[in-house]
Amino acid sequence: KNTQNILAKNLVVVTLGFLCWYAIGYPLALGIVDSPNEFIGGTGFFMDGFWPDKSKFRIWLFQGTFCATGGTIVSGATAERTKLKGFATYTILMTSIIYPCVVYWVWSGHGFLNYKNDQGRYESIVGPPFMDFAGSGVVHLVGGVGALFGALLVGPRTGRFSGRDEAEFDGHSIPFCVLGTFFLWFGWYGFNPGS
C-alpha cells in the first residue's frame, strides 16, 4: 500500500511536473528575455522558439529531469501522510514557480546569485558567484527545503512504528533493492558527466 502511494506520487511528479515545466517552468527558469532582470525569465512558453534551435529540446528535457527530481524528494519526506490532490498541488507549485525561480537565480547567467558584471566576470549580489556542481546544490536544496516544510506541515507518522515487534516489519525485496541501486549507479555515469 505505502509503496504504491510513493510510486503514484512519483508518477504525478513526472507527468504533471513535466507539463508544468513545459508550459511555465522552463520559460521562468531559462527563458532569457532581451532585457533580463535578476529574478526570473519570461520567454519560451510552451516551447515557443524551439524549432529553429533544436538544441533547446535537449536542454529542456535534461533540465526537466532535474526539476522532477527536486519534486520527488518531497514524496519520500511526506510518505503515507498526504493525499494525492494535496501532493499534486504541491507539484504544480514546485515545478511551475518555486524550482524555476531558483534555477534562474543560479543557472541562467542573469540571476542575482550568478551574473556577469560590467567587466565580464561572474559575481553575485553578495560577491563571488554561486557555483553548483552537477546540479547538486539547486536540485537538492530546493527539494530538501520543500521536504522539510512538507514534513513539518503533515507531522510525524503517528503510530507507524510504535508498539510493533521488529520481526513484524515487512521489508522489501532485497534483490530488487540491489537491482535499483545498479540502475541508479549506471544512470549516474551519464547524468553527472552530462551536467
Side-chain angles (χ1 to χ4, degrees):
K1 173 182 118 176
N2 297 326
T3 303
Q4 291 172 349
N5 180 277
I6 294 293
L7 293 173
K9 287 179 182 175
N10 287 339
L11 192 61
V12 165
V13 170
V14 171
T15 55
L16 185 60
F18 260 93
L19 283 173
C20 293
W21 180 251
Y22 161 73
I24 302 167
Y26 179 86
L28 298 183
L30 299 168
I32 311 304
V33 295
D34 292 335
S35 194
N37 61 61
E38 292 181 350
F39 184 70
I40 202 160
T43 186
F45 293 94
F46 299 98
M47 293 185 168
D48 182 43
F50 276 41
W51 288 106
D53 181 7
K54 294 189 180 41
S55 68
K56 289 184 178 180
F57 287 108
R58 178 179 39 87
I59 294 166
W60 177 89
L61 181 64
F62 191 72
Q63 293 296 331
T65 59
F66 278 135
C67 183
T69 301
T72 58
I73 292 171
V74 178
S75 69
T78 60
E80 305 171 15
R81 293 161 291 163
T82 57
K83 293 187 177 184
L84 205 53
K85 284 184 184 179
F87 187 76
T89 303
Y90 149 77
T91 298
I92 291 169
L93 289 172
M94 177 66 106
T95 57
S96 298
I97 299 167
I98 299 168
Y99 181 83
C101 283
V102 179
V103 167
Y104 186 85
W105 300 341
V106 177
W107 292 339
S108 71
H110 298 283
F112 68 88
L113 293 176
N114 192 352
Y115 62 89
K116 275 189 182 179
N117 61 18
D118 294 335
Q119 290 81 32
R121 294 180 15 203
Y122 282 96
E123 64 179 16
S124 73
I125 61 168
V126 293
F130 186 95
M131 301 299 287
D132 188 22
F133 175 73
S136 60
V138 172
V139 175
H140 292 96
L141 178 68
V142 174
V145 169
L148 174 65
F149 279 97
L152 290 173
L153 286 171
V154 298
R157 299 177 192 182
T158 308
R160 171 73 165 100
F161 298 105
S162 60
R164 291 182 68 182
D165 184 18
E166 217 176 279
E168 292 178 19
F169 186 75
D170 297 327
H172 293 282
S173 168
I174 299 301
F176 281 143
C177 289
V178 172
L179 183 64
T181 302
F182 281 126
F183 283 147
L184 284 171
W185 187 28
F186 181 75
W188 236 254
Y189 287 123
F191 200 65
N192 280 348
S195 294

